[in-house]
Amino acid sequence: MRVPLSWLREYVDLPATETGRDVQAKLVPAGLEVETVEQLGAGLKGPLVVGKVLTIEELTEFKKPIRFCTLDVGDTNGTGEPQEVICGARNFAVGDKVVVVLPGAVLAGGFEISARKTYGRTSHGMICSSGELGMGDDGSGGIIVLPPEYEVGTDAIELLQLVDEVLDIAVTPDRGYALSMRGVARETAIAYGLSLRDPALLDVPAPNSYGHRVEIADPVGCDHFTARTVTGLDPEARSPIWLKRRLQKAGMRPISLAVDITNYVMLEIGQPLHAYDRNRVDGAIGVRRAEQGEELTTLDGVKRVLDAADLVITDDRGPIGLAGVMGGADTEIADGEIVAGPLSSPSAAERAARGTTEVVIEAAHFDPISIARTARWHKLPSEASRRFERGVDPHAASAAAQRTVDLLVLLAGGSAEAGVTEVVAPFGPHTITMAADHPDRVAGLAYGRETVVRRLQEVGCDVQGQDELIVTVPSWRSDLREINDLAEEVIRLEGYENLPSTLPRPPAGRGLTERQRLHRRVGRALAGAGYVEVLSYPFVGEAQLDQLGLAADDDRRRAVRLVNPLADTEPEMRTTLLPGLFGALRRNDGRGSHDLALYETGLVFRPTGEEKVPARLPVDRRPSPEELATLDAALPRQPRRVAVVLAGAREQAGWWGAGRPADWADAVQAARTVAAEAGVELTVEADQHAPWHPGRCAALYATVDGERTLVGHAGELHPRVIKAYGLPERTCATELELDLVERAGTGALRAPRISTFPVATQDVALVVDQDVPAADVERALGEGAGELLESVRLFDVFTGEQLGEGRKSLAYALRFRASDRTLTVDEASAARDAAVALAAERTGAVLRGA
């Protein structure tokens, strides 16, 4: 809602020194979001005057039409001589009054006017259009042509009200009353503690039986309809400058006098209106639901097929307007610039050409939900529908109709017919019973009964009672439905900034759970290892699962499908974190970041097929534990997972070395880094599992609840997957089920005991078959060496003819240490021999060279 400050002052006696910024500072704390204060005419400097066109000389020797004009500007040019001006516009003639800016003036934006030679002549100033003066669109498409009654030399800055301030207010859906000068003025008056001159307080004649006939077939859709008739309008009457300027400042384009008046009253009082050409209305005006398939051509020239839920205005021929949205073209008010046809028995076309002389004014109140539905169904938002959707004062219809009639009589020379039609469905005022101290309890402040009553009365409520207040809500505040709405009114008017700020006190002994601590440790550990966290949307589509190369019976294809997905291409909840990580890797690689290490932790959604549709939970009480349990049972399994993806260089090249690319071993090490935070040791075995490369995929096992359990996979991605997702070559990835890793943990991590005794190192080289995993040999060595073994590390793999076909040599460094003594050579050798013996038993390993 755009609110000109000069217009606002008509209803509230603001101090003369108050600026738009001052008013903004008052309205924002009261709950009206004033987004901007526009300074109209900022930097504008005269002389800018009314001039009369004396002569026009057409200059035809140029590519475009140019006119050399002389104008009478009175004594404002200092000489009284005609002013010579060059102009290219064609919409004015000799004798017209126009707006002339003279040399020395400055237009908005710092554009200085001076005499300059152009098109072989000297132009001493400029004839102005509305756009050049920052007035907005006036519909002329050219120069401003003023009515003939204005004197030559009149100051056009004051005449056109070019200097003003406009408050642009973002009106929330619950404050429809603020879509009017009346509503904003009421809030301003409350904020300043001033009285309000309500424009809706008018003397309205009582309804009678000889007004235009109105028939309401749907009193639920239309509970109030007022019709007034004005005759004898001058079809050539034009909107005065003050009316046009107020509409322009409010963001509306002037059209014609009758239409401008209805728009003006809508902005002033908040009641949308419509004016019908009475000569084009056939019979009674009716309100009913449309018949399915009926057609109506609206004012925008579009033929619309109506739906049975649409509320329409009709006459004896059928629909003539979409109620509360837009009128029909058949009863449009006609402009009177062209006169055609005989004066007696004119046809409808001739009457339209001559202009409208008799109008029927409609001021009605329609059901907000019905209007909102129709506007959206037909994709036809309008200023009227915007107001009806948010709530219009049903008692303002009669006053708005009277205001429209008064302006038509005043500005168009019409006469108001005595007939007044008013069809009203009986309804009483809305009352709310509230404890006087309820706002105190909501706000945590002691306002007191006197303050509560005063504030509610300021917004228009009638308040009765002492400890128990009976509040009658005003008709223009349809948003006040229950006691908390009333409490909000008191609190906002007393000032949100005055509410106390109290931090909640956490109960003693609470804090992060062990699970939350683990998740944070995992994140810190991965970040410390050089990984960057990303957050991706938890939605996937069938195409992404196909790109992963998943088999048709893979559990990851069984996903939860959304009823209303954000995108039709991703209608399912993710069953793996990898597609989101792949997308982030691809975007970053495409933007020039080629050395990447990303990670994400989050939930995946794995339906079991046993989920049941839950019962609808109650809203009037807290659900019982049994009801919440049924809700939980309806949810799919949602394990938390952690995944990483790597591409490019893992170690950068520099003076310290050549660097190296990321490979499958780094993916496995990322899994070990995660598991170490839970105190879990992973067992790594070769595996084949999509989307990893069959020969470079590791299955990761841990002991969970006493059983060896698969907790994830790591390795290099399959080349087909890399190509499908557009990833860099040799991209590697890891995915672990963090919940299983947590269950495999042994509780709080214990710091290792550091022995002060020296270490004894024994190296062994074992020859095994080519297909024996190094991890199996390492596991056997660890178990066989016993408690003296501190660590075992594979440091060399060798294959060659001297070993024989299908054989390989694995060299391990065994570190032995005791916590209470220095080991002897015999003790270390014995532990080594026991380790080798168990490895030989389990894997067939033999000492190399033995």
Side-chain angles (χ1 to χ4, degrees), residues 22 91 94 115 117 178 242 296 382 385 395 442 450 460 471 476 514 603 663 734 774 788 796 802 838:
D22 297 329
N91 68 314
V94 172
K117 190 170 183 178
W242 65 265
L296 169 68
S382 65
S385 67
H395 291 169
V442 172
E450 182 179 345
V471 182
W476 58 83
E514 186 57 36
L603 301 180
D663 59 18
T734 300
L788 294 178
D796 184 58
Q802 59 269 48
L838 186 59

Side-chain angles (χ1 to χ4, degrees), residues 324-676:
V325 179
M326 185 174 286
D330 289 344
T331 56
E332 181 181 6
I333 297 293
D335 204 348
E337 292 186 352
I338 302 173
V339 178
L343 295 178
S344 59
S345 303
S347 66
E350 292 165 346
R351 286 196 302 270
R354 245 204 287 336
T356 298
T357 59
E358 299 180 353
V359 298
V360 177
I361 306 299
E362 165 209 307
H365 182 262
F366 301 111
D367 173 52
I369 296 176
S370 177
I371 301 306
R373 183 201 174 281
T374 295
R376 284 157 179 74
W377 177 261
H378 293 283
K379 297 181 175 61
L380 191 62
S382 65
E383 291 290 339
S385 67
R386 184 183 176 208
R387 285 163 173 79
F388 278 123
E389 290 173 14
R390 288 162 173 77
V392 169
D393 181 4
H395 291 169
S398 300
Q402 182 62 46
R403 177 70 165 144
T404 305
V405 169
D406 293 343
L407 288 173
L408 284 171
V409 171
L410 175 67
L411 302 177
S415 300
E417 284 195 350
V420 177
T421 303
E422 193 163 312
V423 180
V424 181
F427 61 91
H430 179 60
T431 60
I432 303 172
T433 301
M434 178 185 73
D437 63 347
H438 181 71
D440 301 8
R441 297 198 302 271
V442 172
L445 284 176
Y447 292 124
R449 179 188 178 279
E450 182 179 345
T451 298
V452 171
V453 171
R454 175 172 57 84
R455 288 304 191 183
L456 292 178
Q457 289 175 338
E458 285 177 344
V459 299
C461 295
D462 180 64
V463 185
Q464 303 291 332
Q466 291 298 318
D467 295 338
E468 194 84 353
L469 302 181
I470 301 175
V471 182
T472 303
V473 176
S475 58
W476 58 83
R477 291 300 302 271
S478 58
D479 59 304
L480 303 181
R481 307 307 303 169
E482 48 107 8
I483 58 174
N484 286 326
D485 296 330
L486 300 179
E488 181 186 5
E489 291 299 295
V490 175
I491 295 168
R492 77 176 179 89
L493 294 178
E494 283 295 305
Y496 290 119
E497 68 278 8
N498 296 323
L499 293 178
S501 179
T502 305
L503 291 176
R505 295 182 178 180
R510 298 285 180 89
L512 296 178
T513 64
E514 186 57 36
R515 185 186 191 197
Q516 290 170 328
R517 292 192 182 97
L518 173 61
H519 294 166
R520 293 194 178 190
R521 289 201 307 270
V522 166
R524 285 194 295 265
L526 289 174
Y531 291 86
V532 177
E533 185 177 17
V534 299
L535 297 174
S536 56
Y537 286 115
F539 310 118
V540 296
E542 194 69 27
Q544 291 171 298
L545 301 180
D546 291 340
Q547 291 171 340
L548 288 177
L550 303 184
D553 58 348
D554 195 301
D555 285 344
R556 288 170 290 179
R557 284 192 175 275
R558 188 163 62 182
V560 177
R561 180 172 289 268
L562 300 172
V563 175
N564 54 342
L566 294 180
D568 293 337
T569 56
E570 296 178 339
E572 297 173 336
M573 302 298 288
R574 67 187 177 192
T575 56
T576 169
L577 299 178
L578 293 178
L581 275 174
F582 292 167
L585 181 72
R586 182 179 62 249
R587 284 191 297 273
N588 284 276
D589 182 69
R591 287 161 174 77
S593 297
H594 303 302
D595 303 324
L596 295 162
L598 309 177
Y599 84 93
E600 180 176 11
T601 60
L603 301 180
V604 298
F605 305 86
R606 293 292 188 87
T608 62
E610 299 177 359
E611 293 84 4
K612 297 180 181 179
V613 178
R616 188 179 296 274
L617 296 181
V619 296
D620 58 342
R621 59 175 174 82
R622 175 181 172 81
S624 66
E626 292 76 16
E627 290 170 327
L628 292 176
T630 60
L631 187 64
D632 288 336
L635 297 176
R637 193 170 67 89
Q638 301 177 51
R640 180 170 291 273
R641 292 196 158 217
V642 58
V644 305
V645 62
L646 304 101
R650 184 63 179 137
E651 295 178 4
Q652 297 291 334
W655 59 263
W656 52 85
R660 67 174 182 85
D663 59 18
W664 64 268
D666 295 302
V668 174
Q669 183 57 37
R672 287 185 168 133
T673 299
V674 171

